[in-house]
Structures are given as structure tokens and as C-alpha cells.
């Protein structure tokens, strides 16, 4: 059965590549498990996996409080890693995490995705530039 699933996944990817063209991976700086609970055995539980930008933190908090199970969240930081702006946003995110009930933040893993350029651009970016990639997020704004 696994062999059939692998073949299906490979053929699906090939069909998508031939139709849409091959997309190279986006070269964003990431920090996986920036904030994470201690390693533990949660293999028998379902993990909520989601992503958001900092402007969506109130909605994320409500979702996590309702979920109350393990969660893995990728958060987009609209500044390059190591910049003063990124440090400010990281501190705000860490502060937001402290307001979560212990039952939530002890099961929460947060990974960070940083802007490649100077942050989110307002259109007109050079194709393939860091600013063009940064303008693609958030996708639901």
C-alpha cells in the first residue's frame, strides 16, 4: 500500500511540475522549534499544524486555547533575521506565548520564517527579488 501511495505522490508532483512549471524552494532564513516543549512521547496524539504572521496572533491564541493539544506553528517575521526589527518581533512573540495557559504553551512548538529582504514590499518589486518573495505573504491579507 505504501508503494502505491509513493507512486501516486511522485506522479502527482510530476504532473504539477509539468503543468505549473517547477518552483524552486524559497530561500528564506528559518529557525525551527524556536520555542518548543521538552521532548516527550506525544506520538499517539494529533498535532495542529498552522502558520501565521504577527498580525494574526490574537486569532492564533484563540485557536490554541480551543485546541488544547500539541501544536506546531510557523510564524512569519517581516524583517531579516538578526535585525533590530526582527528582535523586537521575536520579543513580542515570546511575550504573547507567556499569556497562554500552561496547558497550551507546554505543547506548543513555534518555528520562525524571516523576510529575505527589508520586509514586506508594496508591489512593484523586481521579479525573483527578495522583496517580491516577501510580498507574497501573508497570502490571505
Amino acid at each position: 500500500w505504501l508503494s502505491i501511495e509513493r507512486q501516486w505522490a511522485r506522479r502527482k508532483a510530476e504532473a504539477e511540475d509539468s503543468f505549473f512549471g517547477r518552483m524552486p524552494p524559497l530561500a528564506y532564513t528559518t529557525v525551527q522549534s524556536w520555542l518548543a516543549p521538552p521532548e516527550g512521547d506525544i506520538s499517539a496524539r494529533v498535532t495542529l499544524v498552522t502558520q501565521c504572521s504577527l498580525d494574526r496572533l490574537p486569532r492564533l491564541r484563540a485557536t490554541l486555547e480551543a485546541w488544547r493539544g500539541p501544536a506546531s506553528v510557523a510564524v512569519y517575521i517581516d524583517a531579516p533575521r538578526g535585525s533590530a526589527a526582527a528582535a523586537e518581533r521575536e520579543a513580542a512573540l515570546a511575550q504573547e506565548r507567556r499569556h497562554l495557559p500552561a496547558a497550551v504553551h507546554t505543547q506548543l512548538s513555534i518555528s520562525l520564517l524571516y523576510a529575505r529582504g527589508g520586509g514586506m514590499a508594496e508591489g512593484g518589486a523586481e521579479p525573483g527579488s527578495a522583496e517580491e518573495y516577501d510580498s507574497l505573504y501573508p497570502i490571505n491579507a
Side-chain angles (χ1 to χ4, degrees), residues 15 17-18 40-41 49 54 56 65 69 72 75 80 83-84 88 93 95 100 110 112-113 122 124 128 137:
D17 286 349
S18 70
D41 182 24
V49 179
L54 293 172
R56 302 286 197 249
E65 288 174 350
S72 178
V75 178
S83 68
E88 182 180 300
L93 181 59
Q95 184 65 28
L100 292 170
I110 299 175
L112 304 178
L113 174 77
E122 289 294 325
Y137 196 89

Side-chain angles (χ1 to χ4, degrees), residues 33 36-42:
S33 300
E39 293 291 325
D41 182 24
I42 57 171

Side-chain angles (χ1 to χ4, degrees), residues 80-132:
R81 184 172 184 203
S83 68
E88 182 180 300
R89 288 160 177 83
E90 291 165 8
L93 181 59
Q95 184 65 28
E96 181 70 23
R97 181 181 172 266
R98 287 185 198 101
H99 293 296
L100 292 170
V104 174
H105 79 77
T106 58
Q107 300 182 81
L108 175 62
S109 176
I110 299 175
S111 299
L112 304 178
L113 174 77
Y114 293 90
R116 290 184 51 200
M120 288 189 250
E122 289 294 325
E126 186 73 27
S129 69
E131 289 76 21
E132 180 191 37

Side-chain angles (χ1 to χ4, degrees), residues 12 19 21 25 29 35 41 64 75 77 80 94 96 103 109 116-118 124:
K12 180 178 178 254
F19 183 79
T29 302
L35 291 174
D41 182 24
L64 294 173
V75 178
I77 304 291
E96 181 70 23
S109 176
R116 290 184 51 200

